[in-house]
Structures are given as C-alpha cells and as structure tokens.
Amino acid sequence: MSKALEAEWSSIVWSEIQTKVIKLQTKIYEASKSGNKPLAVKLQKTLISSYSARLVAVRRVTQENKGKCTAGIDGVKSLNPQQRIELAEQLRLDGKSSPLRRVEIPKPGKKEKRPLGIPTIVDRAKQALAKLALEPEWEALFEPNSYGFRPGRSCHDAIEAIELSIRKTPKYLIDADLKGCFDNIDREALIQKLKTFPDMEKQIRAWLKSGVLVGDVFHKTVSGTPQGGVISPLLANIALHGFESYISSNFPTRKTRIGQPDGKMKEYCEARVIRYADDFVIIHEEEAVIKAALEKTKEWMANIGLTLNEQKTRICHSLNGDEEKKPGFDFLGFHIQSFTRGKNRAGKKTNGESLGMVTKVLPSDKSVKRFQSHLKALLNKGQSQEPAQ
C-alpha cells in the first residue's frame, strides 16, 4: 500500500492539476468582479471540496513553501509521499484548529524580535486550501494601490507607483507606521468584512482563536491574526481593504484659484494612498490636506482596532526640508527623494518644459548597512582566500 501511494504521488501530472484549480479560481474571480456573490460562494465550495485543490494545498505547504521544514506543536517537520496523499484525501475545513507554536525571529537590522505563530502541517494545509478559495474573490475587490502579499505584485511595484506620483510635482507625504498590525486587528471587524459562507467563517474563527504555546504554557489570543500562518497576510489585506478609497473620497480631485496670481485654475489631484501590507504612504500637494488625512487615518484605523506609531509616523516633503525634517523618506528599503536641478539635468514635462528637479530612488542607508553586514558575515564564514600551498 505504501509503495502504491508513493508511486501515485510521483505520477501526478501537476500541470493538469494546477490547470483545474486555476480554471475554478478564474470563475470565482469573474463572479466576484461582477458582484455575483452567490455564484462565487458556490464555486468556492466546489473548489475546497475538489481533490485537485487539496493536492495543490498539500504540495504547497510540504514541498514549495520556504517554511516547509518548520514544525508546529506536533513536532512534524516533513511528510513522505504516502503521508501527503493521505493528508490530501482527508483534508477538510472542519472548523477545528490546533494551538500555534510561538517562536521569535529578529527584525532585520533591529534588536527587537518579531513573534511568529507556527501552525501544524495539517492546519497549514487547511489554510492553503482556504486561501485558494478566498484569494481570487478578494483579488477582484482589492484596491489598485495595494501591493503587499498579492500574486503578481511586489514591493518594486509600490516603489514605482510612489515615484510616478512625485516625479513631476513635489508632494507632501505621510510616512506611516502601524503598531503591531497583525497582532491587534479587531477580529469581529475582520469577520464582518469577510462576509463569507458559514463553513469558511467557522474555520477562520477557529484559527484566530487557536491560541499559542510558549514552551509548555498555553496562552489565549484575544485579537489579531498571528504572523506565520499561510492565510494571515491575506486576512491582514482584507482587514485593511477600503482604506485607500476612504482617503481618496474624503480628499478628492478639486480645482481652485487660491494662490494663483494669474487667475488661472489649478487642479489638485486626490490624496493618494500606496500600501504594501501594513506599510503605506499618503501623498498630496498640500500640507493642510496631508495633516487632515492623518487625522482621518487615525479614525479609520481605530475602527479595525489599529493605531499609528506616533514616533515612527512622520510628515515630510519629497523636495524641501529643514534641519528637523529632512526631505525624502525611506520606504520598503529604498530612499525616495527629489532634488533641484538645472534645466539641462532636470526631468521634463510632456511638453518638453523643464521640471527643475529630478526624483531618485536609491537603497536606503539602513539597507546598505544591513547588506554590508550580511556580506561580511558570509565572507567570515567562508574559507581562507589565500592560495593553497
């Protein structure tokens, strides 16, 4: 029996399995995009009961994901082909969940550590299965300037969007930082926003309330979605969904003659939010609008249980600064800043007129130092560079 199951796993044609899953996901996406919620739910139920989707979920958590060899509280680090087949056959969203194993990893370039909750392999497979069903529904709904933990998007896309927003006109920005986003999200607000079918809701509630084991001591979790789970980044994106449209609707595009000596109308574009998971910036030409947007941000975040880190949240300008507020800002490991330039070295408008400035995106000082430290550590671990005698 064991050899038969092992042969069965190795003989799976994954291209065909993946195609079946993608076809169902595409239908879910189209139903969600058109606002047909009942059809989307019907297709999601079909997908989570599909053997192809269960195979894909098991394969992702046992063979493809970077953390595939990390054990949960059950101590299981890997599965052999026979166990993978058995898990795929038994995989169901049954509303049950095991506690998470708490580990702490250092934050890049910082002394403080980030807590991670490691689920068991079974729970990871369940989460991967649920994500296969939920992700296409929400990809049809997510806002255009949300880039974090989404298929086909990266931090470089977010950086490009920021650069495009400030390259022709210097802008004021809010460089915001949320306090413990994953740990403090209001669960009921998240569930209400999900509006999913009962079996999925029951399973997600079980994951959110599963608690953690620190050593042999069990701790309840009363808020947030624990970092380390397969589905946690998607749930965080769902919780933060709607923020971009909220800010842009409160500060829309407008025209005014104020401050225009020639009496011409000047158009101010809407306040723009560019977000990568829980990191985001808000961009606008007027400082007064930026300050008002900061207050609106605090109000909106409070509705989902989140607060801004006042010490790390700052208002800055892409071009101008002083001794207290330097121009430019760091975001996702890059430093973005505009510099004044002569007409021959500056960027140009579409009509060929000089902008009088150029916008540069460079690795931040912290990123450079972190890379240098990492490179130094790698070289120190290596063998002597002296030639062999």
Side-chain angles (χ1 to χ4, degrees):
M1 181 66 178
S2 175
K3 290 183 178 180
L5 289 175
E6 186 171 344
E8 186 180 344
W9 181 266
S10 62
S11 63
I12 293 173
V13 182
W14 288 107
S15 59
E16 295 179 1
I17 296 294
Q18 192 71 50
T19 298
K20 291 179 182 178
V21 173
I22 290 174
K23 283 183 177 179
L24 267 176
Q25 288 183 309
T26 302
K27 291 179 180 179
I28 293 170
Y29 176 90
E30 291 171 349
S32 179
K33 194 76 174 176
S34 63
N36 193 341
K37 181 72 172 181
L39 177 58
V41 168
K42 181 181 178 180
L43 292 167
Q44 285 173 325
K45 290 179 178 179
T46 301
L47 188 143
I48 62 174
S49 62
S50 161
Y51 185 56
S52 295
R54 285 181 276 147
L55 283 173
V56 169
V58 171
R59 188 188 189 206
R60 286 188 179 175
V61 301
T62 60
Q63 291 186 295
E64 295 180 343
N65 289 359
K66 289 183 178 180
K68 59 180 180 289
C69 294
T70 307
I73 62 168
D74 56 357
V76 179
K77 290 186 177 181
S78 61
L79 300 180
N80 59 39
Q82 175 186 352
Q83 292 169 327
R84 291 177 204 143
I85 288 289
E86 290 173 351
L87 177 56
E89 291 176 346
Q90 299 167 6
L91 198 61
R92 298 288 186 278
L93 300 187
D94 53 9
K96 298 178 182 179
S97 176
S98 301
L100 309 173
R101 182 171 73 90
R102 172 62 59 83
V103 297
E104 292 188 347
I105 61 171
K107 290 185 177 181
K110 299 180 181 179
K111 293 182 179 179
E112 57 187 294
K113 294 186 176 182
R114 175 185 290 115
L116 290 184
I118 310 299
T120 62
I121 285 183
V122 173
D123 275 326
R124 273 180 266 170
K126 286 181 185 177
Q127 290 186 17
L129 181 62
K131 186 180 178 183
L132 287 173
L134 288 174
E135 192 168 60
E137 174 194 359
W138 283 93
E139 279 299 312
L141 304 174
F142 280 146
E143 293 158 320
N145 289 306
S146 164
Y147 295 96
F149 305 115
R150 292 182 59 187
R153 294 183 170 220
S154 70
C155 63
H156 293 86
D157 296 317
I159 294 297
E160 182 182 14
I162 294 172
E163 195 271 338
L164 289 172
S165 297
I166 65 176
R167 64 158 48 166
K168 292 185 178 180
T169 307
K171 305 275 179 70
Y172 285 94
L173 304 100
I174 298 173
D175 180 13
D177 185 83
L178 292 172
K179 280 187 180 179
C181 174
F182 283 81
D183 296 328
N184 295 307
I185 291 172
D186 187 302
R187 291 174 177 172
E188 287 305 317
L190 171 60
I191 294 296
Q192 291 300 317
K193 193 172 286 189
L194 265 171
K195 293 181 181 177
T196 189
F197 54 97
D199 287 346
M200 183 69 77
E201 180 180 329
K202 184 180 178 182
Q203 184 62 71
I204 290 174
R205 284 185 182 275
W207 287 325
L208 294 176
K209 296 180 179 179
S210 59
V212 297
L213 277 178
V214 182
D216 295 327
V217 182
F218 176 79
H219 297 269
K220 289 184 178 180
T221 49
V222 295
S223 64
T225 171
Q227 296 184 65
V230 175
I231 203 171
S232 295
L234 174 61
L235 295 180
N237 269 336
I238 293 171
L240 291 167
H241 173 67
F243 174 59
E244 180 183 336
S245 57
Y246 174 79
I247 292 295
S248 60
S249 63
N250 274 277
F251 305 99
T253 299
R254 61 187 177 85
K255 293 183 178 182
T256 181
R257 285 194 176 90
I258 297 175
Q260 301 302 307
D262 55 3
K264 293 182 179 179
M265 297 289 287
K266 180 174 180 179
E267 182 174 282
Y268 289 95
C269 294
E270 65 185 14
R272 191 176 185 191
V273 176
I274 296 171
R275 182 172 67 83
Y276 187 92
D278 58 330
D279 295 318
F280 63 90
V281 295
I282 304 176
I283 304 171
H284 198 269
E285 292 177 60
E286 296 178 283
E287 187 176 14
V289 170
I290 284 293
K291 289 180 178 180
L294 181 59
E295 297 305 314
K296 289 291 183 181
T297 297
K298 293 176 182 178
E299 292 176 10
W300 193 91
M301 292 298 172
N303 292 329
I304 57 171
L306 299 178
T307 57
L308 293 177
N309 188 332
E310 299 288 350
Q311 295 180 341
K312 295 183 179 180
T313 299
R314 60 187 287 259
I315 294 176
C316 58
H317 194 267
S318 62
L319 178 63
N320 303 317
D322 51 38
E323 292 181 358
E324 293 184 0
K325 293 183 179 181
K326 294 183 179 181
F329 64 102
D330 291 349
F331 191 69
L332 301 177
F334 292 90
H335 182 75
I336 307 168
Q337 184 178 340
S338 298
F339 301 86
T340 55
R341 288 288 186 267
K343 64 178 182 179
N344 295 323
R345 297 180 62 195
K348 298 185 184 299
K349 299 179 182 178
T350 53
N351 61 3
E353 183 182 342
S354 175
L355 290 170
M357 68 171 195
V358 63
T359 300
K360 292 186 177 182
V361 179
L362 300 169
S364 66
D365 291 341
K366 289 183 179 178
S367 295
V368 172
K369 290 178 181 178
R370 186 164 61 244
F371 175 76
Q372 289 172 339
S373 298
H374 179 64
L375 185 60
K376 184 178 179 180
L378 287 177
L379 292 174
N380 287 338
K381 288 181 181 179
Q383 298 179 351
S384 173
Q385 300 300 307
E386 295 180 4
Q389 298 295 329

